[in-house]
C-alpha cells in the first residue's frame, strides 16, 4: 500500500520507517528542508534506538523517502496519516498543525487513490477527527468522492519506539465506515495474530488519553505514597511499593513463577513524569472534560502532584543542606527518561531553575542530552556540562540523580561518592552503597544539616 505520512517527528518518522519495513511504500512529508536532507541520507534528526539502521535499510530498499511536496506523497496514496504535533499551549490543545495538515491533504486529495483514508495518528481530543479534520478535508477537496476517515493512535514509548512498533501489543483503529476500517486493517496485516480493535473514531481518540492518563495516575499515586513515607520514621517507600507489587492481582504467580508485569515499572517513586506525552495529554483531557462540564477531578490531582513533585525533591535537599549558595551541585541525568536525548518537560529543567534561584553552581552530565539542554537554557542559566561522570563527580560538593541512565548505577564503587551527599530523585541507586544517601520516600534525614 502507499501511505503519505504528514510530519516527520518522533511519531511520523518511526511509524513511517516501521510501515516501510513491513513492505509498504511510504512518503513522509516534512516542511524543514534540513530535516528532509538528513532523513534521506539515513539519519533521523533525533535519537531513537535502532531507528537509523532501519531508516537506512528502507531507503536502500526504495520503500521510504522524505519530501516537502505533499502532492508527491498523496499521488496514488491509499492512506494519508496525520502525525503532526498537538502541543498544549495557553490552556488548551493547539490544533493548528492538524488544521494545516488537513488543508494540505484536502487541496491534494484529487491525486490520491480512488478510495483514500485520511487517518489521524496524532493524539487529539475526542471529536477532532470528525469535527475538525473531516470538514477541512471535505472543504478543500471540494467533497471529492471516495475519501474516508480514521483514527489510529500510537502507543510508542521513546527509547523503545522502534521495538514497540515492530512488536505491537494491540492496534486500535477508529473508522467511520467499513472501507476505512478495511484499508487500515490491511495496513497492519503483516502483524498476524496481533489484537486489532476496530472501534468508533471517538473511541480511538479517547483510548489514547485513557491509556496515558492511567500510567500517569500510577506515577502520581506512587509519588503521593512516597511523599507520605518520607514523613514516617523507619519507612522506605521502595519496601512499601514492593509489598504492593507482590499482590497477585498485579504480579500473578503462574506455575509457581512470579510474573512481573510492565505496569510495575510505573509504580515507582521519582521526581515526576515528563516528556512530550504524559504532561500535555493529562492537561488536554482535563481541559476537554471541563469544556464538556465534566471535571476530571482525579486527573487534576494527578497533574497537580506531578507539578509539585520537583518541589518535594528540592525540599528534601534543603532539609539536609544548610545553604545552597555557591554550592557546586552535580546533576546526573537531564533527559526526561533514559534512552533518549529528549528534554521536553524534563523535571531537570525545573530543578535547575530552582537551584539557580538558591544560588547554587550547577554542573550537569547526561550521556545524550547535554547539547539539547544547553540549547534551551543558555544564556539564561549557567550550567557547566561534563562529558564524563567522573569529571563531574570530581568537581562538585553534592550529587542529584534525576534520570536513571544505567551507567549511573555503578557510581557507588567510586571513592569520591563515599564522602558526598547523594540525592536520588529516581530511587535508582542502592542506598547501602552511599554513606550519605538521601532519596525520595525515605525517612533518613541526618538530623544535622551538611555545611558546604
Ligand atoms: C508514553 C507512553 O508510555 C506510551 O505508551 C505512549 O505511546 C507515549 O507516551 C505517547 O503518548 O506517545 P513516553 O512519554 O515515551 O511514552 O515515556 P514513558 O516511558 O511512558 O515515561 C514517561 C515519563 O514517566 C518519564 O518522564 C518517566 O521518567 C516517568 N516515570 C515513569 C516516572 O516518573 N515514574 C515511573 O514509575 C515510570
Amino acid at each position: 500500500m502507499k501511505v503519505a505520512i504528514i510530519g516527520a517527528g518522533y511519531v511520523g518518522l518511526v511509524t513511517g520507517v516501521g510501515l516501510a519495513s513491513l513492505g509498504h511504500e511510504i512518503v513522509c512529508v516534512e516542511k524543514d528542508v534540513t530535516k528532509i536532507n538528513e532523513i534521506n541520507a539515513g539519519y533521523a534528526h533525533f535519537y531513537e534506538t535502532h531507528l537509523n539502521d532501519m531508516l537506512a535499510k528502507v531507503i536502500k530498499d526504495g520503500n521510504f523517502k522524505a519530501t516537502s511536496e505533499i502532492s508527491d506523497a498523496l499521488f496514488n496514496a491509499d492512506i494519508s496519516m496525520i502525525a503532526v504535533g498537538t502541543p498544549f499551549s495557553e490552556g488548551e490543545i493547539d490544533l493548528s498543525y492538524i488544521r494545516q495538515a488537513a488543508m494540505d491533504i484536502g487541496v491534494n486529495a484529487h491525486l490520491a487513490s480512488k478510495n483514500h483514508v485520511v487517518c489521524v495518528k496524532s493524539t487529539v481530543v475526542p471529536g477532532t477527527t470528525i469535527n475538525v479534520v473531516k470538514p477541512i478535508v471535505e472543504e478543500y477537496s471540494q467533497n471529492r468522492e471516495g475519501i474516508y476517515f480514521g483514527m489510529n493512535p500510537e502507543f510508542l514509548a521513546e527509547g523503545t519506539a522502534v521495538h514497540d512498533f515492530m512488536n505491537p501489543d494491540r492496534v486500535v483503529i477508529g473508522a467511520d465506515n467499513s472501507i476505512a476500517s478495511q484499508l487500515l486493517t490491511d495496513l497492519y496485516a503483516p502483524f498476524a495474530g496481533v489484537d486489532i480493535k476496530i472501534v468508533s473514531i471517538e473511541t480511538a481518540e479517547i483510548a489514547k488519553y485513557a491509556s496515558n492518563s492511567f500510567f500517569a495516575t500510577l506515577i502520581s499515586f506512587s509519588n503521593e505514597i512516597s511523599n507520605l513515607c518520607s514523613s514516617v520514621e523507619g519507612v522506605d517507600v521502595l519496601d512499601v511499593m514492593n509489598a504492593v507489587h507482590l499482590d497477585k492481582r498485579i504480579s500473578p504467580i503462574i506455575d509457581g513463577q512470579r510474573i512481573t508485569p510492565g505496569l510495575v515499572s510505573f509504580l515507582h517513586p521519582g521526581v515526576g513524569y515528563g516528556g512530550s506525552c504524559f504532561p500535555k495529554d493529562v492537561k488536554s483531557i482535563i481541559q476537554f472534560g471541563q469544556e464538556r462540564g465534566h471535571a476530571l477531578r482525579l486527573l487534576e490531582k494527578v497533574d497537580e502532584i506531578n507539578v509539585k513533585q520537583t518541589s518535594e525533591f528540592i525540599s528534601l535537599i534543603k532539609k539536609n543542606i544548610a545553604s545552597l549558595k555557591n554550592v557546586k551541585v552535580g546533576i546526573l541525568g537531564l533527559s526526561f527518561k533514559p534512552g533518549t536525548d529528549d528534554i521536553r518537560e524534563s523535571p531537570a529543567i525545573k530543578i535547575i531553575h530552582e537551584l539557580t534561584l538558591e544560588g547554587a553552581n550547577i554542573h550537569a552530565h547526561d550521556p545524550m542530552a547535554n547539547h539539547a539542554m544547553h540549547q534551551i537554557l543558555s544564556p539564561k542559566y549557567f550550567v557547566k556540562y561534563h562529558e564524563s561522570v567522573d569529571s563531574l563527580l570530581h568537581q562538585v560538593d553534592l550529587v542529584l540523580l534525576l534520570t536513571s541512565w544505567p551507567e549511573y548505577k555503578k557510581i557507588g564503587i567510586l571513592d569520591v561518592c563515599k564522602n558526598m551527599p547523594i540525592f536520588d530523585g529516581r530511587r535508582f541507586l542502592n542506598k547501602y552503597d552511599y554513606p550519605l544517601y538521601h532519596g525520595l520516600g525515605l525517612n533518613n534525614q541526618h538530623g544535622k544539616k551538611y555545611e558546604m
Side-chain angles (χ1 to χ4, degrees):
M1 296 174 87
K2 181 173 176 188
V3 184
I5 308 238
I6 320 300
Y10 276 95
V11 174
L13 195 55
V14 174
T15 304
V17 170
L19 289 171
S21 78
L22 299 179
H24 297 300
E25 181 190 347
I26 307 297
V27 182
C28 214
V29 184
E30 171 58 51
K31 292 220 155 71
D32 185 328
V33 179
T34 315
K35 285 183 189 167
I36 294 172
N37 292 338
E38 279 172 19
I39 293 169
N40 285 332
Y43 299 100
H45 52 96
F46 52 86
Y47 176 79
E48 187 58 52
T49 314
H50 303 314
L51 184 57
N52 281 351
D53 295 345
M54 214 154 132
L55 176 60
K57 179 163 188 321
V58 292
I59 291 172
K60 190 162 158 270
D61 293 347
N63 289 351
F64 182 94
K65 71 172 177 181
T67 177
S68 58
E69 298 298 326
I70 189 162
S71 53
D72 187 3
L74 273 228
F75 183 74
N76 272 342
D78 303 291
I79 295 170
S80 48
M81 250 182 200
I82 301 180
V84 295
T86 51
F88 185 81
S89 87
E90 292 170 19
E92 61 178 10
I93 183 169
D94 175 359
L95 293 177
S96 54
Y97 301 112
I98 293 273
R99 288 197 180 88
Q100 184 62 51
M103 234 183 271
D104 294 343
I105 292 170
V107 169
N108 292 279
H110 61 285
L111 299 167
S113 63
K114 185 165 161 280
N115 286 327
H116 179 86
V117 185
V118 177
C119 175
V120 175
K121 191 83 178 158
S122 310
T123 301
V124 291
V125 292
T128 305
T129 307
I130 292 300
N131 301 327
V132 178
V133 174
K134 189 176 179 196
I136 295 175
V137 173
E138 286 177 346
E139 181 189 342
Y140 284 83
S141 69
Q142 296 174 344
N143 290 313
R144 203 211 93 160
E145 283 196 2
I147 302 272
Y148 307 99
F149 293 86
M151 202 281 157
N152 170 222
E154 53 85 17
F155 298 104
L156 312 172
E158 283 183 34
T160 55
V162 170
H163 178 268
D164 294 346
F165 185 90
M166 297 311 291
N167 302 278
D169 41 11
R170 80 293 211 191
V171 173
V172 175
I173 292 173
D176 69 343
N177 72 8
S178 59
I179 296 178
S181 63
Q182 191 55 56
L183 277 168
L184 289 169
T185 305
D186 292 347
L187 189 64
Y188 293 104
F191 292 132
V194 169
D195 283 333
I196 297 191
K197 302 297 292 174
I198 311 279
V199 293
S200 71
I201 286 179
E202 291 80 359
T203 303
E205 289 169 330
I206 208 160
K208 167 69 190 206
Y209 283 102
S211 175
N212 276 2
S213 300
F214 171 68
F215 287 104
T217 303
L218 297 185
I219 297 170
S220 282
F221 166 75
S222 311
N223 288 337
E224 180 150 70
I225 297 293
S226 169
N227 299 340
L228 174 73
C229 289
S230 60
S231 69
V232 185
E233 211 163 311
V235 174
D236 183 341
V237 65
L238 292 192
D239 298 328
V240 172
M241 291 312 288
N242 191 244
V244 176
H245 298 163
L246 292 174
D247 185 314
K248 63 180 179 301
R249 289 163 297 182
I250 298 176
S251 308
I253 300 166
I254 298 174
D255 294 335
Q257 288 277 75
R258 175 73 73 175
I259 310 291
T260 304
L263 177 136
V264 162
S265 66
F266 287 83
L267 285 167
H268 188 82
V271 279
Y273 56 77
S276 63
C277 306
F278 287 179
K280 102 173 153 57
D281 291 350
V282 171
K283 286 185 198 309
S284 296
I285 201 68
I286 290 171
Q287 167 65 17
F288 177 76
Q290 274 163 5
E291 278 167 17
R292 310 280 291 197
H294 187 93
L296 296 172
R297 284 188 287 273
L298 174 63
L299 293 182
E300 283 168 4
K301 288 293 167 198
V302 166
D303 179 50
E304 192 185 311
I305 291 168
N306 194 58
V307 169
K308 285 193 183 145
Q309 197 58 16
T310 46
S311 311
E312 288 287 335
F313 188 57
I314 298 285
S315 306
L316 172 71
I317 301 166
K318 283 162 89 175
K319 265 182 207 152
N320 289 283
I321 306 288
S323 163
L324 283 164
K325 195 153 178 56
N326 297 326
V327 171
K328 295 191 274 303
V329 177
I331 294 182
L332 291 180
L334 299 170
S335 57
F336 83 98
K337 67 172 193 178
T340 175
D341 60 356
D342 196 343
I343 53 156
R344 285 176 289 176
E345 300 284 331
S346 172
I349 299 170
K350 276 201 277 173
I351 290 170
I352 290 173
H353 170 75
E354 294 285 329
L355 294 172
T356 304
L357 290 180
E358 296 288 331
N361 296 329
I362 316 286
H363 292 243
H365 171 271
D366 189 285
M368 293 191 130
N370 278 356
H371 178 65
M373 193 58 96
H374 175 68
Q375 279 194 316
I376 67 147
L377 292 187
S378 168
K380 197 168 168 208
Y381 298 92
F382 182 77
V383 176
K384 182 167 168 29
Y385 296 93
H386 293 257
E387 289 301 316
S388 77
V389 182
D390 208 50
S391 147
L392 176 137
L393 291 175
H394 282 94
Q395 293 182 44
V396 297
D397 302 314
L398 61 95
V399 167
L400 317 182
L401 185 134
L402 299 186
T403 314
S404 41
W405 283 99
E407 65 188 271
Y408 297 152
K409 247 314 187 232
K410 45 185 194 288
I411 63 168
I413 55 170
L414 304 172
D415 283 345
V416 65
C417 291
K418 303 288 180 219
N419 303 316
M420 197 154 46
I422 308 277
F423 292 87
D424 187 349
R426 293 288 179 187
R427 292 310 309 275
F428 179 64
L429 304 171
N430 181 352
K431 64 182 177 183
Y432 300 111
D433 286 347
Y434 305 88
L436 306 180
Y437 180 90
H438 300 272
L440 287 163
L442 182 63
N443 185 263
N444 70 339
Q445 286 146 39
H446 284 200
K448 203 170 106 198
K449 292 191 179 191
Y450 304 110
E451 301 284 343
M452 299 273 150

